[in-house]
Amino acid sequence: MRQFKSQAEAEAAGVYVSKVKSYVKREGRLTKGQEKALADYWPTMGIDYADAPLSLSDVFGRTAPVVVEIGFGMGKSLVEMAAASPDKDFIGIEVHRPGVGACLSDAGDQGVENLRVMEHDAVEVLKNMIPDASLSRLQLFFPDPWHKKRHHKRRIVQSEFAELVRTKLAIGGCFHMATDWEAYAEHMAEVMNNAPGYTNTAEEGDYVPRPEYRPITKFETRGQKLGHGVWDLIYERTK
């Protein structure tokens, strides 16, 4: 197969070269409840992707600290966090449509009003829709560890991503990561310890105790019973 020096050269030759993404698109089948939640709640709680910055105060109808979570899964912990912190506004970004539907269903059932969701690639959302210096916290909990060495380049936590997150955090805002893969935790710490403009908030070593605001998931509890560890890392934007 011919090797191309650039994407532009490949496209000129009529060859499509796929870009590496930090997630795997998993459609899955919607339950009737998830489908109904999308129909009922997306008009008020969903944000459609657009290549233009959001006005966060317009989105929520007020000015409050904003927390963004990338990859919220089925959304139970995100809804729990939003319900427990009515003084903050939350945006969840997830590419798994059934998870988006499940999150909207839970939020609607509980009457949570300070939560919005998006179904799109988080990197594109951060780059094009989240205003600079606007977030009080960005959360990345249990991302795909891509544990095989040849797949490490697919891990979302890389130096370029760390810099993108830094530009979106307000000074004093935090980037909170959690993983149950020790090797990925070590990778996260290495990337973040070398990322300019951040300070590790750990009092000792690289990791912090789980903050009270991050709920323990059923998956995490099951893992702990099997002796699996969980590592939390919180880095504050200082510059």
Side-chain angles (χ1 to χ4, degrees), residues 7-47:
Q7 176 122 356
E9 183 180 335
E11 290 174 352
V15 176
Y16 173 73
V17 179
S18 63
K19 295 180 180 179
V20 172
K21 289 188 177 289
S22 57
Y23 64 88
V24 175
K25 182 73 170 177
R26 298 172 293 114
E27 282 296 343
R29 295 186 65 179
L30 289 168
T31 66
K32 289 184 178 179
Q34 292 163 358
E35 195 170 356
K36 185 177 187 302
L38 283 162
D40 290 348
Y41 299 121
W42 186 266
T44 55
M45 297 179 64
I47 300 175

Side-chain angles (χ1 to χ4, degrees), residues 157-173:
V157 180
Q158 307 287 354
S159 57
E160 182 180 359
F161 181 72
E163 175 57 19
L164 173 61
V165 172
R166 189 189 69 85
T167 65
K168 303 305 172 179
L169 291 171
I171 297 293

Side-chain angles (χ1 to χ4, degrees), residues 174-175 177 185 188-190 192-195 197-208 232-238:
C174 290
F175 181 18
M177 296 155 280
M188 289 173 169
E190 181 180 1
M192 296 304 300
N193 288 339
N194 288 286
Y198 284 102
T199 297
N200 192 333
T201 64
E203 295 182 1
E204 184 178 344
D206 291 320
Y207 311 117
V208 300
D232 283 81
L233 305 88
I234 300 180
Y235 286 77
E236 179 183 340
R237 180 187 176 182
T238 52

Side-chain angles (χ1 to χ4, degrees), residues 28-193:
R29 295 186 65 179
L30 289 168
T31 66
K32 289 184 178 179
Q34 292 163 358
E35 195 170 356
K36 185 177 187 302
L38 283 162
D40 290 348
Y41 299 121
W42 186 266
T44 55
M45 297 179 64
I47 300 175
D48 293 313
Y49 178 78
D51 190 3
L54 286 171
S55 169
L56 297 175
S57 58
D58 287 348
V59 167
F60 291 98
R62 66 174 183 174
T63 299
V66 177
V67 177
V68 166
E69 179 166 340
I70 292 174
F72 57 75
M74 301 305 279
K76 285 192 177 298
S77 63
L78 177 58
V79 172
E80 185 176 337
M81 280 184 282
S85 300
D87 59 318
K88 295 181 175 64
D89 292 327
F90 290 77
I91 297 176
I93 308 170
E94 174 59 63
V95 295
H96 187 222
R97 192 167 179 79
V100 174
C103 182
L104 287 172
S105 179
D106 285 346
D109 289 346
Q110 296 182 40
V112 174
E113 297 182 349
N114 59 330
L115 173 63
R116 303 291 183 270
V117 298
M118 296 193 67
E119 183 189 354
H120 198 78
D121 173 34
V123 172
E124 290 189 0
V125 172
L126 287 178
K127 283 182 177 179
N128 301 322
M129 296 190 71
I130 303 299
D132 288 350
S134 65
L135 304 181
S136 66
R137 188 167 72 238
L138 188 134
Q139 302 176 168
L140 180 68
F141 299 154
F142 308 102
D144 193 326
W146 295 105
H147 56 277
K148 293 182 180 179
K149 189 172 182 179
R150 67 178 183 272
H151 292 156
H152 285 186
K153 63 184 179 181
R154 293 178 177 268
R155 290 173 170 175
I156 190 170
V157 180
Q158 307 287 354
S159 57
E160 182 180 359
F161 181 72
E163 175 57 19
L164 173 61
V165 172
R166 189 189 69 85
T167 65
K168 303 305 172 179
L169 291 171
I171 297 293
C174 290
F175 181 18
H176 181 184
M177 296 155 280
T179 181
D180 58 345
W181 282 77
E182 186 173 11
Y184 197 10
E186 292 169 351
H187 169 86
M188 289 173 169
E190 181 180 1
V191 169
M192 296 304 300
N193 288 339

